[in-house]
Amino acid sequence: MSGDINLAEHLKTAQGNASYISADIQNQILTSCSNLILKQIISKVNAAKCFTVLADETADISGIEQFSLCVRYFEFSSMQMREDFLTFVPVTDVTGMGLANTLLNTLDKLGIDLKYLRGQGFDGAATMSGCFNGVQSHVTKKYPLAHYIHCTSHCLNLAISDTCNVQSIRNCTGTIQKVCVFFKYPKRQNVMLESIKRVCPESQITKLKLLFPTRWVDRHDSIITFMELFDAVIDGLPIISTWPDRESSSGAYQLLCAIKQPEFILATHLLAKVFSISLLLSKLLQIKNIDLIEAMSLADNVSDVLKNIKNNADEDFKKLFLKVKEKYNFISQLHDRFIAHKSLITNFCCLLPNNNLPNREENIKSLTEKYNEDLQ
């Protein structure tokens, strides 16, 4: 037995009714550990004499609405900003006032001195941050110095989400997600690896990344990865489409038809271009010690770049369209070459036993004509 020597000795020698490994005892131990950690966090928060409360409303697996409460404060021992989780709080009154009362009462019961409350950080939902009925307005009435700041990363996520609410873009991301899920299974992933070696030998990436379902800012890497492995996807799907496995072959064929559409290719390139511009901002906004001034400055820089693209839309779109046209030509050539090989392979399949091809006689005739000299 490896690990804690004292614990190992205890488990070997303890009586059956004193092993302390039952579910009830384990829960009590976890609760005790939680209380000790929570006590230390609260002591640090009060010592800082300035903190921000971070809260979000969610529902657990049973559907019960609850708060997740966190605090942001300066820790003197490490001289760093910290964000620590406090607790989950079930709620019944989900109005702005009800949530505000639950939040403040919970902080008070935990032992946090509310006179040091200097900030509020919630999401953009009307209940949480609405100017009149939201949590922040009720908290501000009692604690005027507790200024509300909307999470800048969440703001970026909402901005990108609204911008991408275009049919062609929505369809594009949906198709990319389906391709990523399709290649998630080991046998199909092996085909992808071989295609990467064959058509993308310089790439260090070995697999596609699933798109995050809700956070658009976390889709940057997924889209950019898909773009880098696009040629490998185009190479791998036709191979899988010849498999006897109906689900795999039909799925590969349908996805291949979808990603070969000019509208999809254009939308993918547009997404990659926009996401590459906002990628740095997205990553920096998630750094623990970034401040609001720096965040606003970065947002202004991204805005300026996008405005410049808009002002030079014709020229920039022409460059993008030429890339798309080049990519589409590659797909057509690859498809044509594949069709030629597929036709030859199909003809040879007629020679295999238990292969009920619909045009068996025509396949045999084609092979006979092609290899007439060898047959003689």
Side-chain angles (χ1 to χ4, degrees):
M1 183 177 293
S2 61
D4 191 310
I5 299 177
N6 294 327
L7 178 60
E9 184 64 24
H10 165 72
L11 295 176
K12 287 180 181 179
T13 60
Q15 297 181 2
N17 62 350
S19 62
Y20 305 112
I21 59 174
S22 68
D24 290 339
I25 295 297
Q26 290 296 305
N27 286 335
Q28 291 178 26
I29 293 173
L30 291 173
T31 300
S32 298
C33 293
S34 173
N35 290 336
L36 288 172
I37 295 172
L38 192 58
K39 186 176 180 180
Q40 292 179 357
I41 293 174
I42 292 170
S43 176
K44 293 177 182 179
V45 172
N46 289 333
K49 297 184 178 182
C50 177
F51 74 94
T52 290
V53 60
L54 308 173
D56 196 9
E57 180 191 2
T58 185
D60 63 14
I61 193 172
S62 63
I64 297 176
E65 291 290 337
Q66 59 183 356
F67 253 145
S68 60
L69 286 182
C70 301
V71 284
R72 180 177 171 88
Y73 62 97
F74 184 78
E75 184 182 54
F76 287 103
S77 60
S78 63
M79 299 299 289
Q80 291 183 346
M81 294 297 299
R82 287 188 60 87
E83 288 184 6
D84 289 325
F85 169 76
L86 294 178
T87 185
F88 288 112
V89 186
V91 293
T92 54
D93 186 353
V94 294
T95 64
M97 179 176 291
L99 293 173
N101 290 333
T102 301
L103 183 148
L104 295 175
N105 290 336
T106 301
L107 292 176
D108 184 55
K109 289 179 180 179
L110 289 174
I112 295 179
D113 196 336
L114 291 174
K115 70 181 180 183
Y116 299 134
L117 180 57
R118 293 295 182 269
Q120 306 174 66
F122 311 132
D123 64 16
T127 305
M128 295 296 291
S129 62
C131 294
F132 301 105
N133 298 318
V135 174
Q136 63 96 4
S137 63
H138 292 289
V139 173
T140 304
K141 288 178 183 177
K142 294 184 178 181
Y143 301 95
L145 296 181
H147 299 293
Y148 167 71
I149 300 296
H150 190 175
C151 171
T152 51
S153 183
H154 189 245
C155 288
L156 177 61
N157 185 66
L158 292 176
I160 295 176
S161 178
D162 290 342
T163 304
C164 292
N165 194 27
V166 179
Q167 182 176 350
S168 58
I169 299 298
R170 291 201 310 268
N171 293 342
C172 173
T173 55
T175 301
I176 291 175
Q177 182 73 333
K178 289 180 180 179
V179 173
C180 294
V181 172
F182 183 82
F183 279 106
K184 185 176 66 174
Y185 299 94
K187 189 177 178 181
R188 300 169 187 171
Q189 174 61 21
N190 291 335
V191 174
M192 170 63 80
L193 287 173
E194 292 301 318
S195 294
I196 293 173
K197 294 177 183 178
R198 186 162 48 250
V199 299
C200 307
E202 298 85 9
S203 177
Q204 300 298 316
I205 303 174
T206 58
K207 62 172 61 177
L208 298 169
K209 295 181 64 175
L210 292 173
L211 276 68
F212 201 94
T214 56
R215 288 178 57 83
W216 280 82
V217 294
D218 288 334
R219 296 188 175 191
H220 295 97
D221 293 338
S222 301
I223 299 295
I224 293 171
T225 297
F226 183 84
M227 285 292 298
E228 183 167 338
L229 299 183
F230 184 79
D231 292 349
V233 173
I234 291 292
D235 182 75
L237 286 175
I239 297 173
I240 300 176
S241 69
T242 64
W243 287 3
D245 175 11
R246 182 177 298 179
E247 180 180 354
S248 295
S249 59
S250 62
Y253 179 76
Q254 291 170 8
L255 291 174
L256 184 62
C257 291
I259 66 175
K260 284 167 50 182
Q261 298 300 316
E263 183 179 8
F264 172 84
I265 301 173
L266 183 59
T268 305
H269 278 73
L270 285 170
L271 272 174
K273 183 176 181 64
V274 174
F275 278 172
S276 65
I277 296 170
S278 60
L279 177 59
L280 179 60
L281 175 61
S282 174
K283 291 185 179 297
L284 288 176
L285 288 179
Q286 298 177 61
I287 295 177
K288 183 169 59 176
N289 293 322
I290 191 172
D291 59 32
L292 184 60
I293 295 176
E294 186 175 0
M296 297 303 295
S297 176
L298 288 170
D300 287 340
N301 290 339
V302 171
S303 178
D304 290 341
V305 172
L306 293 176
K307 286 179 181 177
N308 186 56
I309 292 176
K310 183 178 179 181
N311 294 334
N312 299 281
D314 292 340
E315 182 178 350
D316 285 343
F317 185 80
K318 183 178 180 180
K319 294 178 182 178
L320 186 65
F321 183 78
L322 290 175
K323 288 184 179 179
V324 173
K325 186 177 180 181
E326 181 180 347
K327 182 65 64 177
Y328 193 70
N329 289 334
F330 166 79
I331 294 172
S332 299
Q333 293 172 11
L334 185 64
H335 180 68
D336 292 341
R337 289 197 299 270
F338 174 76
I339 289 297
H341 291 309
K342 184 177 180 181
S343 176
L344 181 60
I345 292 171
T346 302
N347 289 334
F348 272 110
C349 285
C350 72
L351 302 178
L352 300 177
N354 301 322
N355 199 322
N356 299 320
L357 292 173
N359 301 313
R360 188 182 185 89
E361 293 183 0
E362 293 183 10
N363 297 136
I364 294 176
K365 182 180 179 182
S366 178
L367 281 178
T368 302
E369 292 175 352
K370 187 173 186 65
Y371 294 97
N372 182 54
E373 192 173 316
D374 290 344
L375 291 174
Q376 291 178 352

